[in-house]
Amino acid sequence: MKKEQKFEIQGGRELRGEIKVNGAKNSALKVLASVVLTEEEIEITNFPFIEDTKRMLELLENLGAEIETDEKNKTIKIKPKEIKDGNLRGELVKKLRASILLVGPLLARFGKVNMIYPGGCVIGKRPIDIFLDGFQKFGSKVEWSDEGFKITSRQKRLIGTTIFFPKITVTGTEAMMMTAVLAEGKTVLKNCAMEPEIKILANYLNENGAKIQGAGTPTMIIEGVEKISAGNFSVVPDRIETGTFVIMGLLCKSEIIVKNCVPDHLGAVLPILKKAGANLEIGEDYIKVKKGTALKATSISTHEYPGFATDLQPPYTLLMTQAEGMSLIHETIFEGRLFFTDQLNSMGTAIVMCDPHRVVISGPTGLYGKTLTSPDLRAGITLVLAGMIAFGKTTIENVYQIDRGYENIDERLNSLGADIKRV
Ligand code: EPZ
């Protein structure tokens, strides 16, 4: 493990120029999990080389996959032919909650999976009950031990089933969709998540022989097939990076262009930013942030797609500390995703926590540079943005959390005029 790195940020710099959005972490991680469903080679372009995707590649290598990476061209090729069993052991699983996504495909292919409990972030307890209930409904047995669990299919092939999700879960939806692809017969999934990356994954699997209907809507019907092949997958631009950079432009009262993005994938975020007074020019594949009047405090509730994305709540919460008036931020998805606000208050903001799901913000307030610790990746990037608008110097520790989801973020923001040193 390389020595703990830190960011040292000098605030108050105006930004200018354009920043390209990278491939989406939360799409790349899922197509990597789908690799296990077939023996065929896949080529992935516009691949984001970030800590989370590197961990997932290491997990696939540990299972026996052969991987060729070409970081310069953002491309990887994976030959999964040598994957022979579903033993997901070791520290890697603890580092990456998304490793749970491998379980369904491994179970569908090999009929047996051994796994230790996956890690989580600090944003909430991150249970996996919906996954384990789902695997049992496909006709498998789950045996728990204190450090993990073993899942065994009761018959040669998993059997298609009907699953009504008790909560809308993004990876739960993706995991059950992938498991159903090779199960025998029909699977119906109800109360599905509708994030864009789910439909993108379903389209890719259908191009290679799967029979998935209704992805992107609350109800999916999957006809199981014997096997599927693999092909080329280009990772869609990251909607959370896009939203983060737009909010950064507004925070720094700068004119920047966020390029290579899909504005449509931001759902309710852009209309809400406009309602708060943001002066945005929205193109086909770019968003131009223009200077404008001071923002007005605008309350939000996070919501599953296409509502206001919980992953953009932390940057938006910071933005509201710079808006005029009082706003309520209601984080409905995770119970641990507002605790970073105490670090913002140490910089001079006025945020009152009503309960773990709600804070009330009064603004605008000036921020002063501090030494902070990044709790999770979305709060981490928010602390970087806070340092960029704070008076003086801000030091952020534990930048691994930020590197999990934002590739070369210091270099990319410095190219816009920020002053961030990685030490
Ligand atoms: C995905 O996490 C994303 N991660 C998260 O992004 C994102 O914040 C989240 O969806 C919500 O949009 C990836 O796609 C890899 P959930 P996921 O299952 O699927 C409960 C980031 O910053 N739940 O949709 O793990 C859960 O506790 C990350 O990139 C159960 O109760 O989130 C939560 O309250 C953070 N039991 C709710 O569902 C389960 O078995 C929604 O979580 C599973 C989930």
Side-chain angles (χ1 to χ4, degrees), residues 21 33 53 98 133 186 202-203 229 265 272 343 378 397 405 422:
V21 172
T53 54
D133 294 350
K186 180 165 111 171
N203 292 344
S229 61
H265 286 172
I272 287 170
Q343 295 199 66
R378 306 304 178 186
E397 296 165 345
R422 183 184 287 259

Side-chain angles (χ1 to χ4, degrees), residues 89-113:
R89 317 295 297 172
E91 275 317 295
L92 267 174
V93 173
K94 279 204 176 309
K95 270 179 124 40
L96 186 68
R97 169 178 168 84
S99 49
I100 186 79
L101 282 157
L102 286 164
V103 176
L106 287 168
L107 186 64
R109 271 293 299 288
F110 303 109
K112 197 163 106 178
V113 179

